Amino acid sequence: MTAQETTTQPAGKPVGVAVLGMGTVGTEVVRLLRENADDFTHRIGGPVELRGIAVSDLGKDRPGIDRALLTDDALSLVNRDDVDIVVEVIGGIDYPRELILAALNAGKSVVTANKALVAAHADALSEAADNAGVDLYFEAAVAAAIPVVGMLRRSLAGDRIERIFGIVNGTTNFILDAMTSTGATYEDALAEATRLGYAEADPTADVEGHDAASKAAILASLGFHTRVNFDDVYCEGITRITAEDIDAATKVGYTIKLLAICEKITGDDGEEQVTARVHPTLIPSSHPLASVSKSYNAIYVDAEAAGSLMFYGNGAGGDPTASAVLGDLVGAARNKVHGGRAPGDSTYANLAVADFGDVPTRYHIDMLVNDRTGVLADIATRFSAKGISLRTVRQEEQERHSHARLIVVTHQAREADLRDMVAELEASEDVQKVSSVIRLDG
Ligand code: HSE
């Protein structure tokens, strides 16, 4: 078969589905597939049949599941002739990549919730899907059932996306929200998130921003028709945010959120470039994103014709993720029955990914300085010597009169210049300590 050709099921033949992985999401996918089988038949135009479920532990008790469906040989299940669509909800990178490529190369469509895999290997996956003329769907990879992938791929396909930004990680939003609303420390808020089951036993991927960075890579790629991989995304997590940072922000009407920000900028050569980044960000407390509480997600999309759109909802968990997987499954199955393919990745714009040092950002710098006459003027001079304009400067008296707390908010400047400025402040004899540096948006 040549690239782009698609095949249809023989009339009346059920679409065979294999589910790889039976954790929280896989269990819910299987349950909904069974319970809503009649609805799916109507929506698809033919029946769907679950051919098998790949699990790592065959001995585990799985109430209500026909044991004959279970296998621990995922690759053989993928390669079965009666499997037309493979749903991957295992997680990880190398093993699911092998299984998904095997499925695509064998002409099976794939639905995956795997953001880390899509963000790291989108080119290889997309090429395999194109070569086989099958679908590769991954709505569940970004913010679960919030339909942001489908919106970028289909609903806004005729528009030009300027900026995509928002809260795409529920665990870190829960932690920052708890710190903001109760004054809790980072450690206590993380412990609470773990106790309530939001944070994993190993919370690294969430709190270091890696999960959000994978989502940012996917959103930027779709929005800007340019391949942006995980490694292209600047990523900084929330582990250094303190109760003092939250308090200082609140006092001046700001809220700290972990934002994913994907945008187009103009490079020095006048050409458009793309940038994607994830970092704690101060936003005005009046901004709608500031009131996104608990583990909710919210994403803004600024499009040339559509204007500013906001998508809000539960971005994680078994049920919402399964909902997104099933929506994709209906699409893939419809294409198997009726022919055609869903819009795939388009990277025609092929814009350069900007060096993060060249991206315009704004800093909120909290520091302790020597309390001597002229220190404020000297520090302001250092900023202006670097061409960095100051928006506000606030001084707070400290108990020890040898110190003053200085909080500086800059206007936009090159990220690299702002970083150099912080290094210069840290080296200055007048600055006893740069307590925190947080970027600002809006
Ligand atoms: N762990 C993620 C979150 C959900 O907390 O939002 C899966 O990406």
Side-chain angles (χ1 to χ4, degrees):
M1 189 168 62
T2 57
Q4 306 298 330
E5 280 179 12
T6 62
T7 53
T8 51
Q9 296 285 109
K13 180 174 174 267
V15 178
V17 175
V19 174
L20 312 182
M22 236 209 153
T24 346
V25 179
T27 304
E28 196 55 20
V29 166
V30 169
R31 183 182 74 79
L32 290 170
L33 252 181
R34 197 176 46 217
E35 284 181 9
N36 301 335
D38 288 346
D39 287 337
F40 287 131
T41 302
H42 289 296
R43 289 172 200 175
I44 290 161
V48 168
E49 268 182 30
L50 182 59
R51 304 294 192 203
I53 307 166
V55 295
S56 55
D57 179 4
L58 279 175
K60 192 171 166 186
D61 193 25
R62 300 176 200 276
I65 298 296
D66 176 1
R67 298 196 72 79
L69 287 171
L70 300 179
T71 173
D72 58 3
D73 184 354
L75 192 56
S76 296
L77 174 60
V78 163
N79 282 321
R80 265 172 56 169
D81 287 342
D82 60 354
V83 167
D84 306 295
I85 300 176
V86 171
V87 172
E88 185 272 315
V89 282
I90 302 175
I93 294 193
D94 292 339
Y95 181 48
R97 175 173 183 263
E98 181 195 335
L99 296 171
I100 289 178
L101 286 175
L104 295 170
N105 290 336
K108 289 138 201 247
S109 290
V110 168
V111 175
T112 178
N114 194 327
K115 63 213 59 113
L117 174 62
V118 175
H121 295 290
D123 277 332
L125 300 178
S126 169
E127 190 185 323
D130 283 348
N131 287 340
V134 294
D135 285 327
L136 172 65
Y137 277 93
F138 46 84
E139 181 64 67
V142 183
I146 303 174
V148 67
V149 169
M151 177 270 302
L152 290 170
R153 272 184 161 180
R154 290 185 291 274
S155 317
L156 293 179
D159 210 332
R160 277 176 68 84
I161 309 296
E162 303 293 349
R163 196 169 198 250
I164 305 167
F165 66 108
I167 297 162
V168 293
N169 182 271
T171 305
T172 47
N173 199 57
F174 180 90
I175 294 170
L176 292 174
D177 182 47
M179 291 175 75
T180 306
S181 55
T182 69
T185 61
Y186 168 75
E187 288 75 18
D188 286 348
L190 171 60
E192 179 68 353
T194 309
R195 193 182 68 77
L196 293 172
Y198 293 115
E200 309 263 346
D202 176 1
T204 311
D206 290 320
V207 298
E208 295 294 354
H210 305 159
D211 174 84
S214 291
K215 294 166 182 168
I218 294 171
L219 293 174
S221 296
L222 292 170
F224 305 139
H225 302 280
T226 287
R227 179 65 65 220
V228 179
N229 290 308
F230 174 80
D231 288 339
D232 296 319
V233 181
Y234 173 79
C235 177
E236 196 181 299
I238 63 163
T239 53
R240 285 196 299 247
I241 300 295
T242 62
E244 290 73 38
D245 292 332
I246 302 269
D247 184 52
T250 308
K251 272 187 186 145
V252 289
Y254 279 85
T255 301
I256 301 178
K257 293 290 188 190
L258 184 73
L259 293 194
I261 303 173
C262 313
E263 59 192 354
K264 288 186 199 159
I265 63 168
T266 306
D268 286 344
D269 55 4
E271 298 291 324
E272 265 189 342
Q273 299 181 342
V274 301
T275 157
R277 57 192 204 264
V278 168
H279 51 67
T281 313
L282 286 152
I283 50 173
S285 298
S286 56
H287 192 287
L289 286 179
S291 51
V292 174
S293 64
K294 301 212 161 43
S295 64
Y296 283 93
N297 286 191
I299 300 158
Y300 265 83
V301 178
D302 291 340
E304 196 176 273
S308 197
L309 308 169
M310 182 181 175
F311 299 80
Y312 169 85
N314 200 344
D319 295 10
T321 310
S323 168
V325 166
L326 287 161
D328 280 355
L329 182 58
V330 168
R334 277 186 65 82
N335 291 341
K336 286 284 176 196
V337 171
H338 304 286
R341 292 179 71 203
D345 281 14
S346 149
T347 53
Y348 74 89
N350 199 20
L351 301 175
V353 177
D355 184 319
F356 186 50
D358 291 331
V359 173
T361 57
R362 293 178 64 193
Y363 274 22
H364 176 283
I365 307 168
D366 192 343
M367 56 192 147
L368 283 181
V369 299
N370 292 335
D371 196 4
R372 66 158 181 85
T373 311
V375 71
L376 205 62
D378 284 356
I379 285 177
T381 306
R382 286 176 187 272
F383 277 88
S384 73
K386 279 219 164 349
I388 300 170
S389 165
L390 297 182
R391 168 88 196 273
T392 58
V393 178
R394 209 169 84 244
Q395 186 174 338
E396 279 182 13
E397 225 178 315
Q398 298 296 287
E399 276 174 23
R400 286 169 58 194
H401 290 297
S402 58
H403 296 168
R405 182 178 181 187
L406 206 60
I407 299 173
V408 167
V409 175
T410 73
H411 281 292
Q412 264 194 350
R414 270 182 78 239
E415 166 72 24
D417 292 340
L418 287 162
R419 260 190 222 172
D420 286 353
M421 185 69 243
V422 171
E424 188 179 317
L425 291 170
E426 278 170 337
S428 156
E429 285 185 354
D430 269 328
V431 178
Q432 303 202 354
K433 184 177 154 199
V434 174
S435 315
S436 88
V437 176
I438 304 176
R439 294 179 189 82
L440 204 123
D441 197 84

